[in-house]
Amino acid sequence: MSVPSVRIQESEAAEEGGSQAVKAQQRLREWILAGDLPGGSRIAELALVERLGMSRTPIRAALMRLGQEGLLEALSSGGYAVRTFSEREVADAIELRGTLEGLAARLAAERGVRPAVLKHATECLDQIDLLLRQGALDDDSFSAYVRLNGQFHKLLSGMADSAVLAREIERASSLPFASASGFVGVQAHNPDARDMLMVAQHQHRQVLDAIAQREAGRAEALMREHSRLARHNLGLVMQNPQQGGMPGVQLIRTQKNTPLSQR
């Protein structure tokens, strides 16, 4: 067998292994968020080999990636366990993402954004407007909103023209429940869902206008305020976790009102 053929086979094997790892990661994430792998439970690698029908290599890669995401924690004795999160941890993660996005909005306004990028962001918001004109929002509408909302936030992080900041926003957004659409699903079961999304959309428009007008302070303040909606939805979830309708909510522990000296 020639050297090029060997290299091609090695490349194909590596690509297949990477694809298997992604599939394992997606499946494990689904099981964790659905409660099939409860918070605190230890992940048995051999059991996953049998359950997923894969070798250990892609499963180990998937476990490592979920550890980096924060859904799993490495055990001192080896292996991983499903993490749980305090309400405060989730709130802090949302606050961190909002702070970084606020900085991105400020830098975008200070540095200026190309008209083509502003046009792309405006078109994204126009599509959200079309969704919100519906009298009622069904599951498909919410799914479309999540996709477009994520697209807008991605565009916004890129407007700062900072690879460092974009990377940190992506890292903060990958924390469990901290993404821009992390708690949007809660609104699907809320009678005021459309009104809440209209408020969020108004804030989107105002932030984009502030960036276009080069109003840095206003852009940052608006983006910080925008993240408060996610904090509000976190509060709604924790009031009635069983009926929140949000995948993974069982991993969030209710924050007890204990004195600071005992925390």
Side-chain angles (χ1 to χ4, degrees), residues 180-224:
S181 298
F183 284 91
V184 169
V186 177
Q187 297 166 353
H189 302 271
N190 188 317
D192 299 324
R194 186 173 173 277
D195 291 342
M196 291 287 292
L197 295 183
M198 290 290 286
V199 171
Q201 177 69 345
H202 176 71
Q203 291 176 338
H204 287 157
R205 291 284 187 188
Q206 292 298 305
V207 168
L208 194 60
D209 177 71
I211 291 173
Q213 299 299 323
R214 310 292 292 271
E215 297 173 349
R218 175 170 167 251
E220 181 174 19
L222 284 165
M223 206 62 214
R224 290 288 299 274

Side-chain angles (χ1 to χ4, degrees), residues 9-190:
Q9 289 184 358
E10 290 176 347
S11 176
E12 290 176 345
E15 183 177 346
E16 182 179 355
S19 175
Q20 289 286 88
V22 170
K23 289 179 181 178
Q25 181 183 357
Q26 292 174 339
R27 186 64 60 83
L28 287 171
R29 188 189 295 110
E30 289 172 1
W31 289 344
I32 291 170
L33 296 179
D36 293 337
L37 294 174
S41 63
R42 181 165 183 166
I43 304 297
E45 192 175 292
L46 285 176
L48 291 179
V49 169
E50 181 177 349
R51 189 173 178 181
L52 290 170
M54 299 180 184
S55 67
R56 286 191 173 190
T57 299
I59 289 175
R60 285 175 178 169
L63 292 173
M64 182 177 68
R65 291 172 184 173
L66 289 172
Q68 293 169 345
E69 281 186 24
L71 281 176
L72 299 179
E73 60 181 339
L75 300 174
S76 57
S77 57
Y80 293 87
V82 178
R83 279 194 65 190
T84 59
F85 307 88
S86 71
E87 188 176 345
R88 177 183 292 175
E89 285 178 306
V90 177
D92 287 349
I94 293 171
E95 185 72 20
L96 174 60
R97 192 253 304 165
T99 298
L100 291 171
E101 288 189 328
L103 175 59
R106 177 168 67 81
L107 291 179
E110 290 176 348
R111 296 172 177 177
V113 179
R114 290 184 292 111
V117 176
L118 289 173
K119 183 174 183 292
H120 190 184
T122 299
E123 290 171 348
C124 178
L125 295 183
D126 288 344
Q127 292 181 63
I128 293 178
D129 280 341
L130 289 176
L131 284 174
L132 297 182
R133 286 175 189 168
Q134 300 177 22
L137 299 175
D138 55 20
D139 290 342
D140 289 340
S141 299
F142 271 100
S143 295
Y145 178 88
V146 168
R147 176 179 58 80
L148 291 168
N149 184 54
Q151 181 181 333
F152 175 77
H153 280 258
K154 185 79 172 177
L155 286 168
L156 183 114
S157 71
M159 289 180 190
D161 193 24
S162 170
V164 172
L165 185 54
R167 183 170 62 249
E168 292 306 313
I169 290 175
E170 182 176 2
R171 181 178 300 173
S173 298
S174 70
L175 295 172
F177 315 107
S179 73
S181 298
F183 284 91
V184 169
V186 177
Q187 297 166 353
H189 302 271
N190 188 317

